[in-house]
Amino acid sequence: MATVGVLCARGRVEEKALMAALAEAGIVSALFPPTDEPLPVGPLFPMASGRSFPVPQIVVDRHPDRQIARAVLATCRALDVPGLCAGIAAAGDRLDVASALAAKGLPRPETALCTSENAGLAAVAAMGLPATVLPLDLKSQPIDLPDIDTAEAVLEHRSVLGGSEGSLGLVQAGTPPPENVVTIFVIDGVATALETSMAMGVSVEVLRLAEQTARALFADVIAVVIALTPSGPIVWDVRPVPEFRHAQALTELSVPQAIAQAVQHRLEPVSAPRLPSDSTPDWTNLVTQGTRRDLVISA
Amino acid sequence: MNVTCPECGAEWELSGVEQGEIVTCPDCGVDLEVLTTNPATVGLAPEEGEDWGE
């Protein structure tokens, strides 16, 4: 039985690298859920086939389809199987992410939730151009609105052909050029790797902002897209299941190795508190690593 | 003709195909489009999606 389930649609370069890193760390893993196998909901009952469902000890979220991922992660939680995922970005959409970051006071672009074509046009008129439409679904790519003709065409098309799902979206002020964008991979709260076409190095301020973003979203693994603006770095977008095949490591660990390490920490047995010989227990020194509290990933 | 899947990195031999043909990666199962035949290269097959009226 697999110890770690890698939640994905198919084994891409990233998932293969992750499974290799897990194997290197002595952890058995398998793609999850098993192909063509229904997942049990709630407490485990014997399957109709008589076999028991192969429940992993922990699941790593690598599914590109967020709708499927959310359903499987929820089912895993019901089975008391913890997950390693992007927290609010794994369970929610771009509005949930923007709201959580705004609540924490993290720097973001001016953003408006638009529920119709006219609302979108009004937002663009207020913010000025260029602007960017970010569909609520984190899987969908942002759409640049460089001028008013494009803005009108895109917003009308989304509204007419996309129905309510197409009408809903965030409009963010600006369109950062690729050379001003850096993607930081944060694993277990630490900026581990980055991807950028920037000529200059990335400042510590940017790395700390990415780490703060991951914390605000309760994300175990996430990529934070940061745009460098004249007024400083801002969180432009996040990727709950990032590709990392071209990522440059910032630590001695690669992205898959860092994820494997995070998995390893969660698989460590719960440390029983050692009562000090002193008559006054010092509970502040208890080791919390590996407790159930660490395994809760839901938003 | 050996080709490499851009999705999973698997290498396999591809023969008897034409440019534009859709093939399936034997490793990860993703649909791939044959971009060129000499040398053989494949890319992710385009998914159905919005064309924004273009």
Side-chain angles (χ1 to χ4, degrees), chain B residues 20-52:
Chain B
E21 194 172 330
I22 302 296
V23 296
T24 303
C25 172
D27 194 345
C28 70
V30 70
D31 284 339
L32 300 166
E33 181 180 354
V34 179
L35 300 175
T36 58
T37 52
N38 192 18
T41 57
V42 290
L44 288 178
E47 291 179 17
E48 271 185 59
E50 294 289 359
D51 63 0
W52 304 115

Side-chain angles (χ1 to χ4, degrees), chain A residues 150-168:
Chain A
T150 308
E152 286 176 354
V154 167
L155 292 168
E156 181 189 358
H157 194 84
R158 283 178 59 81
S159 175
V160 171
L161 296 182
S164 57
E165 194 182 326
S167 300
L168 266 173

Side-chain angles (χ1 to χ4, degrees), chain A residues 3-79:
Chain A
T3 302
V4 175
V6 179
L7 171 57
C8 61
R10 55 177 168 264
R12 299 174 297 169
V13 170
E14 282 75 13
E15 287 75 46
K16 286 182 175 178
L18 172 59
M19 291 171 80
L22 287 166
E24 206 175 303
I27 300 169
V28 179
S29 64
L31 301 184
F32 183 81
T35 314
D36 302 330
E37 192 140 6
L39 277 80
V41 174
L44 282 173
F45 293 101
M47 303 281 286
S49 61
R51 294 182 298 109
S52 61
F53 185 80
V55 179
Q57 284 176 264
I58 189 168
V59 166
V60 181
D61 178 14
R62 290 289 316 161
H63 209 295
D65 188 319
R66 301 315 306 157
Q67 208 173 349
I68 295 175
R70 276 193 285 273
V72 175
L73 286 173
T75 307
C76 287
R77 278 195 294 276
L79 293 171

Side-chain angles (χ1 to χ4, degrees), chain A residues 169-184:
Chain A
L170 301 181
V171 173
Q172 288 188 176
T175 301
E179 61 271 20
N180 286 354
V181 172
V182 57
T183 302
I184 312 282

